[in-house]
């Protein structure tokens, strides 16, 4: 498939908008003013706190990638999905409540991709961008073997593979 370029006023959904990378991506897209941006996170209050004030180009939506049913609404009627979800590579307080690499970086991404491609909903998504991690193909080499001690790179690699497979069968463009 040829690379898909987004047009002015296309709708871009950033899942993980309260995280470090997700905040920066969302803010940049809104500042550029070219797209309608849907910021998605687990808490609308936190989205508003992290991303600041109102903008005619910004919409907030609550969803949790670990809960597929929460994703259908935010993923409807968007042209591009940016998956900026993730968790820490090592056990930490961030893992509380089931935020493990397997739950977020593997199963959560699976849920997002299933929600994008589910039938009978009409799919409008023409591009998916996935923020992965350096070292997913070098998990046996230092320092990546240490980083992957709890499986975060394996989970990201599995999600990359699934994204490539789904893009080939569903016909949307990807950027990893």
């Amino acid at each position: 498939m040829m690379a898909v370029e987004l047009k002015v006023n296309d709708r871009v959904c950033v899942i993980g908008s309260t995280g470090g990378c997700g905040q920066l991506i969302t803010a940049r897209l809104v500042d550029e003013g070219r797209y309608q941006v849907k910021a998605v996170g687990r808490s609308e209050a936190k989205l508003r706190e992290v991303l600041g004030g109102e903008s005619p180009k910004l919409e907030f939506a609550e969803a949790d990638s670990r809960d597929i049913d929460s994703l259908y609404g935010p993923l409807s009627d968007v042209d591009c999905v940016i998956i900026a979800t993730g968790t820490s590579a090592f056990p930490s307080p961030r893992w509380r409540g089931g935020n493990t690499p397997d739950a977020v970086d593997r199963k959560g991404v699976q849920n997002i991709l299933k929600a994008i491609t589910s039938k009978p909903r009409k799919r409008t998504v023409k591009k998916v961008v996935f923020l992965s991690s350096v070292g997913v193909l070098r998990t046996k080499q230092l320092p990546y073997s240490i980083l992957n001690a709890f499986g975060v790179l394996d989970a990201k690699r599995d999600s990359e593979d699934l994204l490539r497979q789904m893009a080939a069968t569903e016909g949307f463009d990807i950027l990893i």
Side-chain angles (χ1 to χ4, degrees):
M1 173 172 211
M2 291 183 54
V4 171
E5 285 198 38
L6 298 177
K7 297 184 223 81
V8 173
N9 289 322
D10 271 356
R11 299 143 311 182
V12 178
C13 176
V14 182
I15 301 179
S17 288
T18 59
C21 292
Q23 288 178 45
L24 297 172
I25 293 165
T26 304
R28 177 68 184 262
L29 289 169
V30 172
D31 287 347
E32 283 182 4
R34 289 179 42 92
Y35 310 109
Q36 294 296 128
V37 181
K38 188 181 292 187
V40 179
R42 293 182 187 151
S43 160
E44 185 173 334
K46 186 167 182 184
L47 285 163
R48 290 180 183 282
E49 173 190 328
V50 166
L51 296 170
E54 300 292 321
S55 165
K57 294 282 189 177
L58 180 62
E59 172 186 348
F60 300 105
E62 281 188 20
D64 185 336
S65 67
R66 300 167 305 168
D67 173 14
I68 193 167
D69 291 330
S70 73
L71 295 166
Y72 294 113
L75 289 171
S76 66
D77 201 31
V78 296
D79 301 294
C80 176
V81 176
I82 299 174
I83 304 171
T85 57
T87 189
S88 61
F90 302 102
S92 73
R94 290 184 182 194
W95 281 24
R96 287 188 193 128
N99 278 339
T100 64
D102 185 61
V104 175
D105 295 310
R106 180 179 289 114
K107 292 176 184 160
V109 174
Q110 289 172 359
N111 284 340
I112 293 165
L113 295 175
K114 285 178 190 172
I116 289 170
T117 59
S118 69
K119 308 290 188 263
R121 232 175 28 82
K122 178 181 172 259
R123 181 173 57 79
T124 59
V125 174
K126 54 189 175 187
K127 186 173 198 115
V128 176
V129 177
F130 176 55
L131 276 67
S132 187
S133 184
V134 66
V136 296
L137 299 177
R138 297 174 281 183
T139 58
K140 304 293 185 224
Q141 300 170 21
L142 286 173
Y144 307 109
S145 57
I146 296 168
L147 184 62
N148 196 42
F150 294 92
V152 70
L153 296 178
D154 293 335
K156 291 281 191 184
R157 185 191 58 243
D158 290 349
S159 292
E160 285 185 16
D161 292 344
L162 180 62
L163 177 57
R164 286 184 189 97
Q165 292 168 9
M166 292 186 97
T169 59
E170 296 288 334
F172 53 78
D173 187 25
I174 61 170
L175 178 63
I176 299 173

